[in-house]
Amino acid sequence: MNAPKPRALKWGAFFLLLFAGVALLAPWLSPQNPDRQSLAERLEPPSPLHWMGTDELGRDVASRMVWGARVSLGVGTAAVLATTLIGVLLGALAGAQGGWVDALIMRAVDIFLCVPTLFLVLALIVFLGPGIENVILVIALTGWTDIARLVRAEILSLREREFVLAARTAGASPWRLILKHLLPNALGPVYVSVTFGLAGAIMMEAGLSFLGLGVQPPTPSWGSLLTSGQDYLQTAYWLTLFPGLAICSSMLVIYLFGEGLREYFNPRAAQR
Amino acid sequence: MSRGSVWAAGLVAACLAFATAGCRGRGHKDYDRVPDADVVANGDARVDASIGDAVTLNPLLAQDSASDDIIGLVFDALLRYNPGLELEGDLAKSWQVRDKGLRIVFHLRRGVLWQDGKSFTSADVAFTYRAIMDPKVACPFKADFSLVSRVETPDPWTVVVTYRKPFAPALSAWAEASILPLHLLKGRKLSGGSFDSHPVGTGPYCLVSWKRNQSIELKANPLYWEGEPHIRRYLYQIIPDPATQVLEMKSQNVDTVNLSSVPDQYRDLSRSASFREIGRTFRFPGFNEYEFFGFNLLKPMFQDKRVRWALSYAIDRKALIDSILLGYGQPCSGPYVPSMPAYNPRVTPVPYDLGKAEKLLDEAGWKRGKDGWREKDGRPMAFTIATNQGNKVREEVATILQQQFARLGIRARVQILAWSLFDSQYVSKKNFDTVVLGWGLGMDPDQYVIWDSKESGPGGLNFISYKNPRVDRLLEEGRTTFDWKKRVRIYRKFHALIAADQPVCFLFAPDSLSAVNRRFHGLLVTKTGCMWYWPTRWYVPKSIQLYP
Amino acid sequence: MLLRYALKRALFSVPLLLGITLISFLVLHLAPGSPVSARGSLNPHISPESIRELRALYGLDKPLSTQYWDWLKRCAGFNFGDSFQDRQSVLSHILQALPATLLLNGVALLLVFGLGLPLGIFSAIRSGSPLDRAFTLSSFLAFSIPAFVLALFLQLVFGAWLGWFPISGFSSPWSMGQGWLAQAGDVLWHLVLPVWTTAFGAWVTVAQYMRNSTLEVLSQDYIRTAFAKGLGARRITLRHALPNALLPIITLLGLSVPGLVGGSFIIETIFAWPGMGRLGYEAAMNYDYPLVMGVVVMGAVLTVFGNLLADICYAVVDPRVRY
């Protein structure tokens, strides 16, 4: 009975929509063109004209933040959708088929878990070259293991339930079994995991851009804004403060929403 | 509160106590009134700050500037450059070029000792040549010696180098090759052995200790042929963050710092009144390094000289220098920077002129469409600007150029790639439209490998595929001419030819920015720098020495 | 029985390790770019011939399968080869970077468990109290701050604004030549920000884990029985609940072993900490194949070993685990 649980879902959803709204309405919300350089106005502190200051090329940070929301949240969402697709498919396959298919997929999962994620991500990014599409691809390729394990476990526990056995004796094909009977019932925890995955993906994009391996300039993302601010930490705090706060608050909102979802699908756990 | 957090709070408190203990600056003496300022005294130390650690102290392998810094103090070469950027003798007392450049004779200095007390002879020089060419050693400057056919040592004080054909940059190559001790390396592993971290040379300082990623400590070499340096210790501190370097400089924990890559820090330091009491800042025109915007001349769009000139007119070089380097840089007009002898003063940097740029593009057939973007035969004028990741200056140049070109109705896309990927997949394979890159060259004006048409093959450094028979001829002539005045004339002609062709848009040369603590006396400040001959000239008067 | 179980598990991890090394090796060697072009700048003194020579020297001209087999054979004798960059042995590089990482992560780990465990237990016992609520809320906050954002904020506030702690680095230049106490204090002083960054996210995880585990135990029948018998709450918690609640923490400890040695390269890069994370990152950026493989293998071995250790410990303390 701790934390404002029943409200978590509502508030989480509200703020999440708010963030999404900012991202979608970026062209209208942004005070200025985010790429417009004004070299005479470089590194100006926050003022009524530039209320988050300007960066090293004299661009308006507030405008870049608004457009950055679009990139960061967009990349996060796309990546997590791809992750989920791969994870659910492989997890369902492993759980429903069993045998060598299961063994193969699960060994792959083990290996993926043991190779440091960042190493894989770095190697893949170097392989593919940086850029928005590749960042999405790389996050998806390295992030599917958690969901695959989750779905497999759910399906294993469902497989022996009566309704599945009934469907199987009725001669349902394996794919029909997976799609019609197993998956829909296994998805509850997946929703929760997807939410947390979204947070992870946004963080990963920010991290990659932070290392200079993410989106390409002049496209702003919160992570890339943070990186370029790092060099001016001592002289221009606003370049790190605002993107940092944006990343943290979006994480917070997503966690809130995820916690709400968890409680919704699994009320017993929430009573703890 | 749990016990754990109490414990943590205790830890923080303890650290704070240390912090206050550590923050104390050194109480400094008044450097304006030094009674014994002119009395040369021995003792004290120079603490230098570096962003990165040396990779190796083996001269055969070193490529990074940190390694070169230390190797330059431990080892000597046969020749060296003086403040007028001319060659003078180092381990060689004198030299002669004979048979129209086919033979170079070095007369070695007598009585030079290795830091372990053994005598230096011509055998060491011959051995160094063999070591450089050893197939088991990945020596980066092998190519500079590939034209050597023989190195002979008629007596212990004479070395005769024979070349297959005259090669004027040879002298500069010998000025860059540190001479290795035969008696310590004979029959040993030339790379990967213990010599890599325990080097012994003939230079002014000897290695004392090397703590990786922390510091390298050197001490004055009592056997040095020019006399033991007055500054008895040299400490090379690895401080990866330039802001921290400046803080340490202000509190006199660091004595010299190079701020060329962080003009913001340099500007703040040079304007600080409190720093002026204890230190001086120096700004010199950059030696031999410039940034450029290069075209892939295999692409039809850039084969049109009008397009190249239009893009060059569209670049506001002053704005680039002002915003990226805070004004600490010189615009470039060609492949040599203004401080070099080969620079042609009659060629001026391309001015910023959007009107001319528009006109040239229109003439070339790249006309503005209805939406304002340029196109020709239905194809939009669009290209990528690629550069390597990790170089802030180049990333900013690319981003600014993209904006400056957009004003002309050109769509450019910035691509920032990890160095190795950039080099192997884009530059070497000529798989790019345009690049932002820089050339850092040696003292010798030879630029054969960059501009000669024969060097435009796969993996060659003429990756922009520049081909001009007149330039080829001049480069060949410059390589085989030993007469310095004639060489300068040749290279000035070459400079003008390249500038007229604009195969790349020459952008700017960053200034060299540094700071030195004021307790050091005897500095030789010329228009080319302030560190000349420091090991033999610098001293700290007894009354203001800082270190025991 | 236990020994057989341990051996069986250890045997199972051999193919896993092989798989990891194979995948890492392939990813590394198939990635475009090569060590001979990874020097970070164009050098007009390097000719294409010397690049070919370099490739031969590194053995890169042989087929991949041969290179992998050679590498594997050398590994079997604990020889990870020499770094391409300076020809020093990979092992010496690792041994030089290890102490800094061990120090940073060791102190962080102490902090994580020293802070996380009591807090988790406390918040479980006082479930629903204001303190518990505050804990849940703050754990939300803690989860929401990525390490690199936290690192920058700490640098900004405590380094740049307040000037309490150094922004980065391992030691100050002035500490050279001072007494060992001053030097140790100086390193500790540099340690504060990176340790907090490292520990911040983790101690909340540990506390939450501990809280849930304690809650679960407290709801068990035997605890209720103990209460029914009229034993004191303090005695019950300490004697009956805690030992059982600590069981799952063993797994957590096992899982933190690789992190202890592996080092986070984001944190180490931001704070310029000369540890394993930075070593691996720089090696990867330079295409220093032997060094990257050495770092990866060490990380993988430790991960597998940590899991193994956790499983075995678990089997020792919890007899219900099937051998």
Side-chain angles (χ1 to χ4, degrees):
Chain A
M1 291 297 112
N2 50 78
K5 279 291 167 60
R7 281 163 282 164
L9 193 60
K10 255 188 259 168
W11 281 110
F14 172 74
F15 281 113
L16 207 55
L17 283 175
L18 199 71
F19 269 104
V22 169
L24 287 175
L25 299 176
W28 294 275
L29 287 177
S30 160
Q32 287 184 16
N33 179 346
D35 296 337
R36 201 185 72 90
Q37 298 167 3
S38 166
L39 299 179
E41 294 177 292
R42 73 191 283 279
L43 295 179
E44 281 186 8
S47 66
L49 181 62
H50 302 287
W51 48 279
M52 288 186 189
T54 60
D55 68 2
E56 69 277 12
L57 297 178
R59 294 173 294 196
D60 181 51
V61 175
S63 308
R64 292 182 71 70
M65 289 286 300
V66 172
W67 283 89
R70 193 172 242 222
V71 176
S72 289
L73 300 180
V75 168
T77 312
V80 90
L81 287 182
T83 305
T84 312
L85 197 70
I86 302 176
V88 166
L89 271 181
L90 289 180
L93 201 64
Q97 285 285 28
W100 66 270
V101 177
D102 183 31
L104 194 73
I105 293 176
M106 290 327 282
R107 284 302 79 74
V109 168
D110 281 348
I111 289 178
F112 265 85
L113 285 178
C114 281
V115 180
T117 317
L118 221 50
F119 168 75
L120 262 185
V121 169
L122 282 180
L124 279 172
I125 278 287
V126 168
F127 195 81
L128 298 165
I132 291 189
E133 309 82 12
N134 292 341
V135 168
I136 295 172
L137 193 65
V138 164
I139 298 177
L141 284 180
T142 50
W144 56 275
T145 48
D146 281 346
I147 290 192
R149 286 215 300 192
L150 195 72
V151 171
R152 174 178 173 271
E154 283 293 317
I155 289 202
L156 281 185
S157 74
L158 284 173
R159 242 168 62 159
E160 306 308 320
R161 300 266 288 274
E162 286 95 4
F163 70 95
V164 179
L165 289 175
R168 195 180 297 163
T169 37
S173 76
W175 276 109
R176 189 183 159 77
L177 205 64
I178 292 178
L179 290 178
K180 285 290 271 209
H181 299 278
L182 291 174
L183 260 186
N185 289 294
L187 281 183
V190 170
Y191 292 133
V192 180
S193 168
V194 164
T195 318
F196 291 118
L198 177 62
I202 292 177
M203 235 190 250
M204 186 71 96
E205 186 277 327
L208 277 174
S209 293
F210 187 73
L211 295 168
L213 302 169
V215 298
Q216 295 287 287
T219 314
S221 85
W222 290 341
S224 68
L225 290 178
L226 199 64
T227 326
S228 51
Q230 197 193 3
D231 291 346
Y232 303 95
L233 194 64
Q234 308 212 354
T235 44
Y237 69 89
W238 54 93
L239 293 183
T240 29
L241 186 66
F242 296 118
L245 284 180
I247 293 173
C248 294
S249 54
S250 65
M251 295 290 112
L252 190 64
V253 165
I254 293 167
Y255 281 130
L256 203 65
F257 184 69
E259 205 55 37
L261 268 186
R262 193 211 296 277
E263 177 217 5
Y264 179 80
F265 283 112
N266 192 0
R268 200 180 61 87
Q271 276 170 14
R272 281 185 185 167
Chain B
M1 283 294 272
S2 69
R3 208 174 305 160
S5 37
V6 173
W7 178 76
L11 181 75
V12 172
C15 293
L16 271 177
F18 278 116
T20 42
C23 273
R24 73 186 153 81
R26 292 167 190 276
H28 70 83
K29 297 183 175 126
D30 188 351
Y31 292 152
D32 287 326
R33 275 179 291 274
V34 182
D36 52 348
D38 297 329
V39 183
V40 176
N42 293 327
D44 211 348
R46 170 181 165 189
V47 183
D48 202 350
S50 167
I51 301 275
D53 194 5
V55 171
T56 174
L57 297 183
N58 185 338
L60 291 172
L61 301 176
Q63 295 200 31
D64 56 301
S65 67
S67 303
D68 286 343
D69 285 346
I70 302 301
I71 287 169
L73 290 174
V74 176
F75 292 92
D76 288 325
L78 289 183
L79 309 173
R80 66 184 175 192
Y81 279 92
N82 67 15
L85 308 187
E86 289 156 344
L87 284 167
E88 66 175 20
D90 195 355
L91 284 178
K93 202 165 69 211
S94 63
W95 71 97
Q96 285 131 17
V97 178
R98 291 189 187 153
D99 301 340
K100 289 186 183 140
L102 281 176
R103 276 198 304 154
I104 304 175
V105 181
F106 295 101
H107 302 285
L108 303 185
R109 217 174 276 281
R110 295 183 188 220
V112 175
L113 296 177
W114 290 101
Q115 288 166 357
D116 61 1
K118 296 275 189 320
S119 292
F120 156 78
T121 66
S122 57
D124 293 313
V125 180
F127 170 74
T128 302
Y129 165 72
R130 289 201 304 275
I132 291 171
M133 300 313 286
D134 190 318
K136 283 203 285 294
V137 178
C139 179
F141 44 93
K142 243 175 216 183
D144 291 348
F145 294 88
S146 57
L147 285 174
V148 173
S149 61
R150 264 199 321 280
V151 176
E152 290 156 306
T153 52
D155 65 64
W157 319 115
T158 312
V159 178
V160 181
V161 187
T162 312
Y163 285 82
R164 275 193 284 277
K165 63 184 203 177
F167 183 56
L171 290 173
S172 144
W174 283 107
E176 270 159 39
S178 299
I179 302 302
L180 299 168
L182 166 70
H183 68 283
L184 289 175
L185 282 166
K186 196 178 178 183
R188 303 272 179 83
K189 258 169 86 177
L190 289 174
S191 77
S194 64
F195 191 78
D196 290 9
S197 46
H198 301 282
V200 174
T202 52
Y205 284 89
C206 326
L207 182 77
V208 174
S209 69
W210 181 13
K211 293 186 186 148
R212 292 248 178 193
N213 281 320
Q214 288 185 50
S215 63
I216 304 175
E217 194 185 344
L218 308 179
K219 70 170 176 34
N221 172 13
L223 305 174
Y224 184 51
W225 61 271
E226 280 189 276
E228 184 177 10
H230 307 301
I231 310 283
R232 288 295 154 86
R233 286 201 299 151
Y234 175 85
L235 195 66
Y236 197 70
Q237 271 288 342
I238 319 302
I239 305 176
D241 175 39
T244 313
Q245 290 190 346
V246 169
L247 284 180
E248 298 288 9
M249 188 80 205
K250 282 182 179 162
S251 52
Q252 300 209 69
N253 291 321
V254 162
D255 298 324
T256 45
V257 65
N258 183 343
L259 297 170
S260 303
S261 59
V262 278
D264 285 272
Q265 299 284 353
Y266 175 81
R267 186 179 58 179
D268 292 350
L269 195 64
S270 63
R271 289 181 181 172
S272 151
S274 61
F275 177 72
R276 230 168 287 143
E277 283 175 25
I278 58 152
R280 298 162 74 182
T281 50
F282 291 99
R283 172 188 174 191
F284 300 101
F287 249 63
N288 200 355
E289 182 191 353
Y290 66 84
E291 302 290 323
F292 65 87
F293 169 65
F295 304 105
N296 184 346
L297 297 173
L298 297 179
K299 306 256 167 172
M301 186 196 294
F302 302 118
Q303 279 168 355
D304 190 334
K305 197 159 146 185
R306 289 170 297 189
V307 171
R308 302 198 299 266
W309 269 97
L311 291 175
S312 205
Y313 278 127
I315 297 172
D316 187 350
R317 289 171 175 74
K318 185 170 179 315
L320 284 182
I321 294 173
D322 284 347
S323 59
I324 298 174
L325 302 175
L326 302 183
Y328 300 121
Q330 324 291 330
C332 286
S333 64
Y336 300 107
V337 296
S339 51
M340 295 185 72
Y343 174 79
N344 188 333
R346 271 181 301 192
V347 182
T348 51
V350 180
Y352 178 51
D353 191 336
L354 276 183
K356 269 191 192 154
E358 296 263 0
K359 208 171 124 246
L360 280 170
L361 284 178
D362 286 342
E363 274 173 31
W366 294 100
K367 300 239 164 65
R368 282 194 193 256
K370 283 190 201 74
D371 52 357
W373 297 105
R374 286 183 188 273
E375 54 183 41
K376 182 179 179 180
D377 308 330
R379 280 189 310 117
M381 187 164 190
F383 53 81
T384 55
I385 305 175
T387 192
N388 62 301
Q389 187 233 321
N391 187 317
K392 189 96 183 133
V393 167
R394 289 180 198 157
E395 288 176 21
E396 285 184 9
V397 167
T399 317
I400 294 178
L401 287 190
Q402 190 221 19
Q403 282 288 302
Q404 295 188 341
F405 293 156
R407 270 178 237 156
L408 269 183
I410 299 164
R411 278 183 240 244
R413 201 164 62 86
V414 177
Q415 255 184 330
I416 293 184
L417 302 149
W419 176 266
S420 191
L421 182 69
F422 179 55
D423 186 20
S424 64
Q425 301 300 303
Y426 291 77
V427 174
S428 293
K429 294 194 175 156
K430 310 196 171 194
N431 173 24
F432 63 91
D433 295 334
T434 65
V435 289
V436 174
L437 266 173
W439 280 119
L441 305 165
M443 297 284 215
D444 193 89
D446 177 41
Q447 296 197 359
Y448 180 89
V449 289
I450 302 175
W451 304 103
D452 193 273
S453 59
K454 289 185 281 304
E455 296 290 327
S456 61
L461 288 176
N462 183 359
F463 51 84
I464 58 167
S465 312
Y466 178 65
K467 289 188 177 83
N468 182 340
R470 285 179 66 200
V471 165
D472 285 1
R473 259 200 312 282
L474 284 176
L475 285 170
E476 191 62 43
E477 217 182 316
R479 275 196 135 185
T480 46
T481 306
F482 276 81
D483 184 283
W484 180 241
K485 285 213 177 88
K486 265 193 212 155
R487 270 194 99 190
V488 167
R489 271 205 301 281
I490 291 168
Y491 285 118
R492 287 190 174 177
K493 226 186 274 173
F494 155 75
H495 183 113
L497 271 182
I498 294 272
D501 268 344
Q502 289 287 312
V504 308
C505 301
F506 298 94
L507 301 176
F508 53 77
D511 287 342
S512 141
L513 309 171
S514 57
V516 178
N517 188 283
R518 273 183 55 192
R519 72 175 192 283
F520 295 101
H521 286 61
L523 275 69
L524 177 60
V525 182
T526 71
K527 61 179 189 204
T528 48
C530 61
M531 297 285 172
W532 291 106
Y533 306 127
W534 78 264
T536 46
R537 297 182 58 103
W538 287 21
Y539 66 93
V540 181
K542 207 85 215 167
S543 68
I544 50 171
Q545 290 194 355
L546 200 55
Y547 299 93
Chain C
M1 272 306 253
L2 185 68
L3 195 70
R4 249 188 65 197
Y5 172 74
L7 271 178
K8 204 173 115 194
R9 290 296 321 263
L11 268 179
F12 265 126
S13 51
V14 171
L16 183 64
L17 277 175
L18 277 179
I20 294 168
T21 58
L22 184 63
I23 286 192
S24 309
F25 194 87
L26 284 179
V27 165
L28 201 60
H29 282 256
L30 292 180
S34 79
V36 289
S37 65
R39 304 295 189 170
S41 66
L42 295 169
N43 188 337
H45 293 284
I46 302 182
S47 63
E49 299 93 77
S50 60
I51 287 179
R52 262 194 300 282
E53 255 180 41
L54 215 57
R55 289 187 65 84
L57 195 70
Y58 292 161
L60 297 176
D61 47 352
K62 294 182 200 157
L64 260 190
S65 52
T66 320
Q67 288 185 46
Y68 180 65
W69 181 240
D70 286 349
W71 179 83
L72 213 57
K73 271 193 298 198
R74 269 188 285 123
C75 267
F78 289 100
N79 173 6
F80 295 103
D82 296 340
S83 154
F84 284 166
Q85 284 246 312
D86 60 358
R87 313 304 291 162
Q88 298 293 308
S89 81
V90 167
L91 215 56
S92 77
H93 273 284
I94 289 180
L95 288 180
Q96 264 164 355
L98 201 55
T101 295
L102 273 180
L103 179 68
L104 170 58
N105 291 340
V107 174
L109 204 65
L110 275 179
L111 206 65
V112 163
F113 283 89
L115 212 66
L117 293 186
L119 202 65
I121 297 167
F122 204 78
S123 136
I125 297 172
R126 297 282 148 82
S127 174
S129 72
L131 187 114
D132 182 37
R133 275 163 190 276
F135 164 68
T136 312
L137 205 72
S138 59
S139 68
F140 262 111
L141 280 172
F143 274 133
S144 315
I145 305 183
F148 57 91
V149 177
L150 180 70
L152 284 181
F153 280 180
L154 288 179
Q155 283 185 329
L156 186 66
V157 176
F158 294 100
W161 288 351
L162 297 173
W164 288 0
F165 300 106
I167 288 180
S168 62
F170 180 80
S171 61
S172 325
W174 61 263
S175 74
M176 304 292 291
Q178 306 249 345
W180 67 269
L181 197 71
Q183 287 200 23
D186 181 54
V187 171
L188 261 182
W189 179 45
H190 280 79
L191 201 58
V192 176
L193 297 188
V195 158
W196 274 107
T197 313
T198 312
F200 192 71
W203 73 259
V204 180
T205 316
V206 169
Q208 279 223 328
Y209 223 91
M210 192 64 217
R211 179 174 173 272
N212 290 345
S213 150
T214 312
L215 278 175
E216 181 134 0
V217 171
L218 284 179
S219 67
Q220 298 285 322
D221 290 342
Y222 67 90
I223 299 288
R224 295 209 189 130
T225 317
F227 271 110
K229 268 165 57 181
L231 292 176
R234 195 185 167 81
R235 192 183 151 81
I236 292 172
T237 322
L238 287 180
R239 290 290 296 275
H240 298 269
L242 265 192
N244 285 303
L246 277 170
L247 272 183
I249 299 301
I250 293 173
T251 321
L252 217 53
L253 257 174
L255 291 177
S256 17
V257 169
L260 186 67
V261 181
S264 147
F265 83 103
I266 287 196
I267 293 178
E268 288 186 3
T269 307
I270 295 181
F271 286 106
W273 196 256
M276 294 289 292
R278 230 173 94 197
L279 182 75
Y281 177 65
E282 278 165 16
M285 280 301 162
N286 288 320
Y287 286 67
D288 198 334
Y289 295 154
L291 194 50
V292 178
M293 287 306 290
V295 172
V296 167
V297 165
M298 214 181 85
V301 167
L302 282 168
T303 313
V304 172
F305 177 74
N307 285 337
L308 193 68
L309 202 71
D311 283 354
I312 293 173
C313 286
Y314 213 84
V316 172
V317 293
D318 189 345
R320 283 173 301 179
V321 172
R322 277 179 293 168
Y323 286 143

